[in-house]
């Protein structure tokens, strides 16, 4: 009994308050998004907000159950839970229901569950278990292989359900990896690749190559701080451009600036690579290598984009990058979402007063696009409150994670923070048109039992672990 | 404790940067950029327009010329359409089944939630049948519309017609929306702003499917439709119809004006059409037919056709010469079967001397040619060019050479050449002389006038020197008439001079060139004319006013290819005058009426309206 009593004292009530705030705010916004004159009662079980109330009650019960569970349970059962949830992912492949093209739902009587949500919980536990073991190290090859396997298996199963959005969330696990010692270069490399990908689609090809050359020179100068060393690469570049141009003219080929530039910068890259190795200038070698790889990458992206991607996938990417604007086609959701949010103004139109919200202009408004309701009815002020609440929640979780004695708890805490982080960034980002439209819910906010219960499970498990922070969990 | 603990700060840093980007983005979306607010309003607010009924038009005696009839549009909301018998419905509304099915498909493509018009303008008799059976056609309903109706089917050119607004017009006139009707010609166009009334607008909130969900801002911004203003036209319906009847099978026009007010009593352009042809479902058939008719029934000859005035212009010459002291009433010129100077010969058919009144009565060309020559070359002007300028200014004061109507913007200006015109084309660098432009004296040559201008000129003669701009609308219910229409305009010729030529004009009808127009008991002053037509037979014209003292009617008649003034134009004018002043044609003149009614001058030859001489 004494230990039970301790739990309530050590529980982080700030996080619980934030949780309750977000859940209730979400419920009210769902009410507003679905509200119609015919069904006024917020407790109407036929409507989504009535059901959400039920899910919320269940979530509170679930949270309570977790808090009274022994914290060692999660450590001891992390692998069995992981395997059980993988099993559910396989089951859903055979017995699942299709919703919006994804075979991700498991129906048991009245309830429909989305195992892919819970799989992230199992993965977090398993990762925490592995990374907290004595012999784990990012320098160890076996450790790395194990980590990759733990991630790739659920991702593959989820991709097989055609639920790409949920699979993408697994990118979030790179954050705890990074925290636990994974090379920062991997994060940087990911970021750089994403940037290259976007730029090579966004910019005219020749402009991209020119920018790449200029930035290679700029980085070189920054690293070496010797202006006279610029001469050699300049000469090589200019002469190869001249040479390729002459070849083009001699052979009577149609002069295409992009191809000339691409070929000559590739040639000069290879020359400079050998030159830098010969002269033993490692920075130059690195820069030139990255330069050549970037050239190849952008060329591949352009080629892949035109030849491999389906038209609707091209649409989505183009849309996100603002290349094509067709407000009635692929960009309809995002455009309507921006209209709803943008029309909110400073203080919003008031609870239940949002016209775009009430009249269904934004599709999926109670689930993925719930933030539109906040933006329209509560305005800039309301949006800021929600954003600050999320950021504060995430920072709070990270800080709590840092104070853990147990590596298991810390890694799990980072997993929780990262998953919420990823959902938050993508979900709100897509409603305001600066993140790709990946159908993932806003934690605690969006309509849906699976999502709410999953995040409750995640958060309260961490709270339970945090309450036992003075015990050494293994 | 852990060598990587510092990485926490990097992770939190990234989170904060993203948070800051989101806040800035929201700031831009919600506060800086206002386009989203406008898009939101456009998304949810739908206007529902209540159309006011268009103003009615009466004639000067209170007879209704134009009113509105209710017809019905059949609408359907595709989602709500249940099972129904297409054949029955089509037979009731008298529409081919294919057309109906086609329209229904179009409506479905537009929206399944919103009602669309399937069949337009179902006439009332069909409506009665349909209403009984309406319960059999779920998802369909009827909406009333007003269309113009014309109880007498006359005065099509004066009343004009209405049509859907053009996209180009819409851009400049935000009051109108695509599909609205607007006056296209005649009174309908000139008085559009009075007739149309004001549309009522109700704003409703709609959902994403376009279904109405309630009123916007509790209806605070809604407006009620205001009915259009009724007009009283100056037309005399009976006279108008009589004129149209006389002009059947003839091309030409009649314009009759009440001189003391400038009110147009009758304005006939022939061939004409029944105004009802431009209304309703048959319009799509009738309009192209009328448009392509070689006799140009849509062309309002009375105001837009330009002819040389012919001899009817002779009084004008006389008046100017009197005013300028070139001649006196006693001055005489000799007609030697015409007017001959050197190699120049102008034919006439007298061998005697004329004074002014005799010359008017007998329409002597030689007299007016000599008089015009003397005027142009009078020494006091110091050159024929100056003489011409003096003459031209007098002519312009009679309303020639410019638009005089404030109502019809399709009105032609006529043509009184400027001195420069002759300078360039006739005299080149030579000295001005009267002879090369002497045909102006007998109303031929370059001068062009419209029938309306000629009627106005007749009204000026009747008024002894002034006119009000001729107009077809007498009063507007609840608004003032354009004050310009009530403004008297004087000519530059003193009214004394007018009185001096009345005898000559009376003589024209009593014993002169138009004795056929004489009506026992009415003193008519008139003048015949022949408008030269290089493309066929000359046009017959006649102008007249009556009675001589205190005139009640001034009239100009043009009969295209009618050869001489006394052949058709004078009889028609005299019948019009008699009809207007006496209400009926006396038995002794009924043979003339019959002859005019039976005359058929139309043959498939394209009438040619001489534009400005090239």
């Amino acid at each position: 009994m004494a230990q039970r009593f301790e739990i309530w004292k050590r529980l982080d009530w700030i996080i619980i308050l934030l949780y309750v705030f977000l859940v209730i705010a979400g419920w009210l916004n769902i009410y507003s998004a679905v509200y119609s004159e015919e069904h006024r009662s917020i407790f109407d079980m036929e409507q989504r907000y009535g059901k959400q109330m039920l899910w919320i009650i269940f979530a509170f019960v679930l949270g309570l159950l977790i808090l009274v569970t022994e914290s060692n349970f999660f450590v001891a059962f992390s692998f069995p839970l992981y395997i059980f949830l993988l099993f559910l992912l396989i089951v859903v492949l055979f017995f699942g229901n299709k919703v919006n093209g994804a075979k991700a739902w498991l129906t048991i009587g009245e309830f429909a569950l989305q195992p892919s949500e819970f799989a992230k919980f199992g993965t977090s536990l398993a990762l925490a278990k592995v990374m907290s073991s004595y012999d784990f190290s990012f320098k160890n090859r076996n450790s790395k292989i194990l980590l990759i396997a733990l991630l790739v298996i659920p991702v593959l199963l989820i991709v097989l359900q055609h639920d790409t959005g949920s699979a993408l969330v697994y990118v979030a696990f790179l954050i705890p990896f990074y925290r636990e010692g994974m090379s920062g270069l991997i994060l940087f490399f990911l970021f750089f690749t994403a940037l290259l990908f976007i730029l090579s689609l966004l910019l005219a090809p020749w402009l991209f190559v020119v920018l790449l050359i200029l930035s290679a020179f700029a980085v070189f100068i920054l690293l070496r701080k010797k202006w006279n060393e610029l001469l050699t690469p300049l000469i090589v570049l200019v002469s190869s451009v001249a040479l390729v141009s002459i070849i083009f003219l001699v052979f009577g080929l149609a002069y295409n600036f992009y191809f000339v530039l691409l070929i000559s910068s590739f040639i000069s890259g290879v020359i400079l690579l050998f030159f830098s190795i010969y002269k033993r200038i490692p920075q130059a070698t690195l820069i030139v290598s990255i330069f050549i790889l970037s050239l190849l990458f952008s060329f591949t992206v352009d080629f892949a984009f035109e030849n491999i991607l389906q038209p609707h996938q091209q649409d989505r990417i183009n849309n996100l990058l603002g290349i094509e604007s067709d407000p009635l086609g692929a960009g309809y959701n995002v455009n309507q979402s921006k209209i709803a949010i943008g029309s909110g103004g400073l203080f919003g139109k008031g609870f239940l007063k949002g016209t775009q919200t009430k009249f269904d202009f934004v599709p999926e408004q109670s689930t993925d696009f719930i933030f539109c309701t906040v933006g329209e009815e509560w305005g800039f002020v309301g949006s800021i409150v929600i954003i600050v609440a999320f950021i504060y929640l995430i920072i709070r979780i990270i800080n709590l994670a840092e104070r853990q004695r147990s590596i298991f708890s810390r890694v799990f805490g980072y997993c929780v923070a990262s998953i919420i982080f990823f959902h938050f960034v993508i979900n709100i980002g897509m409603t305001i048109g600066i993140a790709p439209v990946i159908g993932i819910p806003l934690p605690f906010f969006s309509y849906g039992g699976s999502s709410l219960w999953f995040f409750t499970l995640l958060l309260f498990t961490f709270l339970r672990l945090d309450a036992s922070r003075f015990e050494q969990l293994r | 404790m852990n060598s990587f603990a510092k990485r926490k700060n990097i992770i939190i840093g990234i989170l904060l940067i993203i948070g800051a980007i989101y806040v800035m983005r929201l700031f831009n979306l919600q506060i800086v950029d206002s386009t989203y607010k406008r898009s939101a309003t456009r998304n949810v607010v739908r206007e529902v327009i209540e159309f006011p009924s268009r103003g009615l038009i009466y004639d000067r005696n209170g007879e209704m010329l134009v009113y509105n009839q209710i017809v019905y549009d059949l609408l359907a909301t595709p989602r709500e359409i249940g099972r129904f018998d297409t054949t029955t419905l089509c037979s009731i509304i008298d529409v081919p089944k294919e057309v109906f099915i086609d329209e229904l498909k179009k409506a479905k493509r537009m929206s399944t939630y919103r009602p669309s018009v399937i069949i337009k303008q179902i006439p009332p008799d069909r409506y009665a049948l349909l209403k009984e059976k309406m319960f059999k056609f779920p998802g369909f309903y009827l909406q009333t519309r007003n269309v113009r109706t014309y109880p007498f089917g006359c005065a099509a050119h004066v009343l004009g017609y209405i049509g859907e607004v053009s996209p180009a017009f819409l851009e400049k006139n935000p009051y109108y929306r695509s599909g609205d009707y607007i006056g296209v010609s005649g009174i309908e166009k000139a008085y559009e702003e009075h007739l149309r009334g004001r549309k009522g607008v109700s704003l409703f909130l709609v959902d994403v499917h376009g279904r109405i969900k309630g009123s916007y801002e509790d209806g605070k911004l809604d407006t009620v439709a205001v009915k259009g203003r009724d007009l009283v036209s100056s037309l005399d319906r009976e006279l108008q119809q009589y004129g149209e009847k006389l002009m059947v099978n003839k091309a030409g026009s009649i314009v009759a004006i009440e001189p003391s007010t400038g009110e147009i009593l009758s304005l006939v352009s022939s061939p004409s059409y029944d105004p009802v042809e431009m209304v309703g479902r048959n319009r799509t058939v009738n309009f192209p037919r009328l448009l392509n008719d070689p006799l140009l029934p849509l062309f309002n000859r009375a105001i837009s056709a330009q002819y040389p005035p012919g001899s009817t212009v002779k009084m004008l010459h006389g008046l100017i010469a009197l005013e300028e002291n070139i001649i006196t009433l006693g001055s005489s010129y000799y007609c030697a079967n015409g007017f001959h100077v050197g190699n120049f010969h102008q034919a006439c058919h007298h061998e005697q001397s004329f004074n002014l009144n005799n010359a008017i009565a007998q329409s002597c060309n030689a007299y007016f040619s000599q008089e015009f020559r003397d005027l142009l070359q009078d020494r006091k002007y110091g050159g024929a060019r100056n003489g011409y300028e003096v003459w031209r200014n007098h002519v312009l004061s009679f309303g020639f050479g410019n638009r005089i109507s404030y109502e019809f913007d399709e009105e032609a200006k006529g043509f009184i050449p400027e001195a420069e015109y002759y300078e360039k084309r006739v005299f080149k660098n030579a000295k001005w002389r009267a002879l090369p432009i002497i045909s102006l004296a007998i109303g031929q040559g370059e001068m062009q006038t419209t029938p309306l201008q000629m009627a106005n000129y007749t009204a000026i003669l009747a008024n002894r020197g002034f006119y009000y701009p001729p107009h077809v609308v007498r009063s507007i219910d609840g608004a003032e008439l354009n004050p310009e229409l009530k403004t008297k305009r004087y000519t530059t010729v003193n009214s004394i001079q007018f009185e001096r030529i009345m005898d000559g004009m009376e003589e024209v009808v009593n014993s002169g060139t138009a004795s056929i127009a004489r009506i026992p008991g009415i003193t008519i002053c008139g003048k015949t004319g022949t408008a030269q037509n290089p493309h066929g037979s000359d046009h017959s014209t006649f102008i007249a006013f009556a009675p001589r003292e205190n005139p009640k009617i001034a009239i100009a008649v043009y009969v295209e290819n009618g050869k001489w003034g006394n052949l058709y134009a004078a009889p028609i004018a005299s019948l019009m005058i008699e009809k207007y002043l006496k209400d009926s044609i006396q038995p002794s003149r009924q043979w003339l009426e019959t002859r005019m009614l039976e005359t058929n001058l139309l043959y498939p030859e394209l009438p040619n309206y001489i534009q400005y001489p090239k």
Side-chain angles (χ1 to χ4, degrees), chain A residues 131 136-140 143-144 147 176-178 180-182:
Chain A
M131 287 162 81
F136 177 82
S137 162
F138 270 97
K139 296 193 177 84
N140 183 332
S143 302
K144 282 195 259 188
L147 278 190
F177 291 180
Y178 173 66
E180 295 304 317
M182 181 187 73

Side-chain angles (χ1 to χ4, degrees), chain B residues 266 431 530:
Chain B
S266 147
K431 194 167 172 277
T530 302

Side-chain angles (χ1 to χ4, degrees), chain B residues 116-397:
Chain B
S116 304
V117 177
I118 308 290
I119 301 296
K120 279 184 185 172
Q121 303 194 2
I122 297 167
D125 51 330
R126 296 274 162 191
Y127 166 74
L129 280 172
L130 184 57
K131 207 182 160 196
E132 281 178 24
K133 304 249 170 76
M134 226 27 215
F135 70 94
K136 288 186 180 173
F137 311 114
F140 289 90
Y141 56 99
L142 293 154
Q143 183 177 290
T144 58
R145 273 170 67 100
N146 285 319
V147 295
R148 294 305 236 180
T149 311
Y150 307 88
F152 297 105
C154 67
H157 287 111
V158 179
L159 299 171
Y161 57 91
I162 55 176
E164 279 188 33
V165 281
S166 68
F169 187 81
L170 281 175
E171 275 179 29
K172 289 181 215 140
N173 296 276
Y175 174 84
Y176 297 93
R177 294 291 152 85
S178 176
D180 280 5
Y181 281 82
I182 187 174
V184 177
S185 70
I187 292 178
E188 297 278 17
K189 181 178 188 183
Y191 292 87
E192 164 70 14
E193 286 188 18
H194 294 292
L195 288 169
R196 74 182 181 198
R198 209 179 60 223
K199 286 186 283 192
V201 178
S202 306
L203 299 177
F204 291 100
L205 290 171
V206 294
D207 71 1
V208 68
H209 302 299
R211 284 178 295 201
I212 287 177
K213 290 287 182 178
S215 67
Y216 179 66
E217 301 261 311
D218 295 328
K220 266 179 244 162
L221 302 172
D222 295 2
T223 53
V224 184
V226 178
K227 182 186 170 308
R229 297 192 180 106
D230 296 344
L231 302 182
V232 177
S233 164
S234 61
L235 290 186
D236 182 304
R237 193 270 306 163
E238 225 175 313
L239 187 68
Q240 175 74 22
Q241 269 190 313
Y242 186 62
E244 287 180 14
K245 222 161 82 186
L246 288 171
M247 289 301 286
V248 166
N249 288 329
K250 299 159 202 77
S253 44
I254 303 174
V255 180
I257 294 177
E258 184 178 69
S260 57
T261 56
E263 289 173 3
I264 295 174
L265 299 170
S266 147
L267 189 140
V268 179
S269 172
S270 180
S272 185
Y273 59 96
D274 187 332
V276 87
E277 289 183 278
M278 295 297 244
V279 174
R281 288 200 258 177
N282 297 327
R283 181 192 165 126
T284 43
V285 182
N286 292 329
F287 187 71
R289 177 177 56 75
L290 292 169
L291 200 62
N292 295 324
D293 188 328
L295 290 167
L296 307 177
L298 293 179
F299 180 70
N300 190 346
R301 287 168 165 79
I303 55 167
S304 303
Q306 308 183 97
Y307 312 87
S311 300
T312 50
V313 85
K314 282 172 178 164
M315 285 79 77
L316 179 64
H317 279 282
L319 288 167
I320 295 171
L322 285 173
E323 180 72 15
E324 290 292 319
N325 292 315
I326 303 299
I327 55 166
T328 63
L329 278 183
S331 314
S332 68
Y333 291 105
Y334 186 73
C335 176
N337 271 317
F339 168 52
H340 313 282
V341 183
N343 286 333
F344 179 87
H345 301 283
Q346 188 185 50
C348 194
H349 25 262
H350 316 101
E351 266 194 272
Q352 64 177 102
S353 282
F354 283 106
N355 67 19
L356 179 56
N357 276 316
N358 290 340
I360 290 174
Q362 298 304 324
S363 197
C364 177
N365 289 343
Y367 179 94
F368 288 98
S369 296
Q370 292 172 72
E371 168 266 298
F372 188 51
R373 179 200 57 198
D374 288 355
L375 180 132
L376 290 179
Q377 299 182 351
D378 196 280
R379 293 178 66 185
K380 69 181 170 197
Y381 305 129
R385 188 187 200 277
N386 297 343
Y388 179 76
E389 296 273 15
V390 169
W391 176 81
R392 183 172 185 268
N393 285 334
H394 283 299
V395 173
L396 293 182
S397 78

Side-chain angles (χ1 to χ4, degrees), chain B residues 69-125:
Chain B
Q69 190 192 25
I70 293 174
V71 294
Y72 302 85
D73 286 352
L74 182 69
L75 285 82
T77 309
R79 245 173 79 94
E80 292 162 14
I81 296 176
R83 292 172 57 84
F84 71 100
D85 185 351
T86 321
T87 317
T88 317
L89 184 55
C90 289
S91 72
I92 294 174
I93 58 178
D94 190 25
V95 165
K97 206 168 161 181
E98 308 81 61
V99 174
F100 182 84
I101 290 169
D102 209 42
E103 289 295 325
L104 208 57
K105 271 189 197 148
K106 267 191 232 163
K108 270 182 200 156
R109 270 203 300 276
M110 283 290 292
S111 165
T112 54
Y113 289 87
R114 246 176 299 168
S116 304
V117 177
I118 308 290
I119 301 296
K120 279 184 185 172
Q121 303 194 2
I122 297 167
D125 51 330

